[in-house]
């Protein structure tokens, strides 16, 4: 990793984030992992035609720089890396996931698809809990607001399960959705139940962007 170049790419970030970023680079270097920060607001994951804001595959983190939530997204992907480095059950389970294949399968068993969806939710919920713990240690951003954003992302998987398609994710953090989100991170148990009143809000909001 070219640390000087990477640090130059975050020159306009908050002082707290710069301190965290230096820690994250040390962690990645110690575990022989890579980091790439791309220009623009979207990147691709491998050969997948769909675009995203960032990803972690256990060996590398790649992230788009021109994001409104760049700092939060970086910490999220870094926490995925900690799951991989620690060889957690949730991370290893995710490596065998059929979620993306099931999402594109018209005749997939709905119970099997829910089980795969919930595995992704569990991985992401654990990641978000790690982000909030990092935030507690480093004072990076507003914890209550981040918890709302994290819950919006987690509940998004319920919406995907119902609609069987990956909608544009960028409106997830709009005021209309955040105002119906809890200000504390949802537990795995809470996320086992689909709240249809919340799904109706997702449907209303996301349909505006189709």
């Amino acid at each position: 990793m070219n640390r000087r170049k990477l640090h130059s790419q975050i020159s306009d970030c908050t002082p707290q984030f710069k301190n965290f970023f230096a820690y994250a680079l040390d962690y990645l270097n110690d575990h022989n992992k890579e980091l790439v920060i791309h220009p623009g607001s979207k990147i691709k994951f491998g050969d997948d035609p769909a675009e995203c804001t960032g990803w972690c595959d256990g060996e590398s983190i790649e992230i788009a720089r021109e994001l409104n939530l760049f700092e939060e997204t970086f910490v999220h992907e870094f926490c995925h890396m900690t799951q991989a480095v620690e060889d957690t059950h949730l991370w290893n389970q995710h490596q065998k996931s059929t979620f993306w294949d099931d999402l594109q399968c018209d005749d997939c068993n709905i119970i099997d698809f829910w089980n795969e969806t919930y595995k992704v939710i569990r991985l992401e919920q654990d990641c978000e809990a790690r982000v909030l713990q990092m935030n507690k240690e480093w004072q990076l951003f507003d914890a209550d607001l981040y918890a709302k954003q994290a819950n919006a992302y987690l509940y998004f998987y319920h919406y995907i399960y119902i609609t069987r398609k990956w909608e544009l994710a960028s409106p997830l953090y709009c005021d209309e959705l955040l105002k119906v989100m809890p200000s504390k991170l949802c537990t795995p148990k809470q996320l086992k139940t689909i709240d249809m009143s919340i799904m109706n809000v997702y449907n209303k909001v996301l349909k505006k962007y189709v």
Side-chain angles (χ1 to χ4, degrees):
M1 292 186 295
N2 185 330
R3 294 178 71 112
R4 181 175 294 182
K5 178 181 178 182
L6 289 168
H7 277 289
S8 72
Q9 290 177 289
I10 62 145
S11 60
D12 58 344
C13 289
T14 64
Q16 297 94 323
F17 179 78
K18 289 178 182 178
N19 290 335
F20 174 81
F21 189 76
Y23 157 77
L25 291 187
D26 286 342
Y27 182 96
L28 294 172
N29 185 65
D30 289 346
H31 295 283
N32 298 312
K33 306 301 181 183
E34 295 296 326
L35 169 64
V36 180
I37 300 177
H38 295 273
S41 60
K42 298 286 184 181
I43 61 173
K44 292 187 180 296
F45 179 58
D47 296 327
D48 193 325
E51 294 183 317
C52 62
T53 56
W55 53 262
C56 170
D57 65 0
E59 294 300 325
S60 176
I61 295 172
E62 299 205 15
I63 185 171
R65 179 62 185 89
E66 294 170 26
L67 306 174
N68 291 332
L69 297 174
F70 168 78
E71 296 182 14
E72 292 88 339
T73 303
F74 176 81
V75 181
H76 176 91
E77 298 304 337
F78 176 76
C79 285
H80 274 314
M81 184 64 82
T82 67
Q83 291 173 316
V85 168
E86 293 170 20
D87 199 29
T88 66
H89 170 71
L90 291 173
W91 180 264
N92 291 329
Q93 182 175 251
H94 179 65
Q95 301 313 297
K96 303 171 186 175
S97 174
T98 61
F99 172 78
W100 294 105
D101 290 334
D102 292 346
L103 183 60
Q104 300 175 42
C105 178
D106 294 333
D107 58 353
C108 177
N109 181 283
I110 60 171
I111 295 175
D112 291 341
F113 183 45
W114 169 250
N115 289 336
E116 291 301 315
T117 303
Y118 187 66
K119 288 177 186 177
V120 176
I121 291 171
R122 284 286 289 110
L123 176 80
E124 296 295 343
Q125 193 276 343
D126 178 77
C127 180
E128 301 296 13
R130 288 166 181 255
V131 172
L132 288 167
Q133 183 58 42
M134 291 281 186
N135 183 59
K136 188 175 180 180
E137 297 172 15
W138 293 88
Q139 300 296 304
L140 299 167
F141 34 74
D142 182 281
D144 288 348
L145 176 58
Y146 185 85
K148 283 176 172 281
Q149 294 167 338
N151 288 330
Y153 176 58
L154 294 168
Y155 276 121
F156 180 50
Y157 282 96
H158 287 180
Y159 185 76
I160 294 168
Y161 172 72
I162 291 171
T163 61
R164 300 295 293 272
K165 59 183 177 180
W166 184 270
E167 295 278 10
L168 183 69
S170 56
L172 288 184
Y173 310 125
C174 68
D175 290 342
E176 196 170 354
L177 274 175
L178 293 183
K179 73 181 181 181
V180 300
M181 292 295 143
S183 59
K184 301 299 179 186
L185 184 66
C186 290
T187 66
K189 183 177 180 180
Q190 289 173 311
L191 293 163
K192 265 197 167 181
T193 302
I194 297 177
D195 186 326
M196 292 308 296
S197 64
I198 292 178
M199 293 301 99
N200 284 333
V201 180
Y202 274 83
N203 190 58
K204 179 182 177 182
V205 170
L206 295 180
K207 289 303 182 186
K208 297 177 184 177
Y209 295 85
V210 174

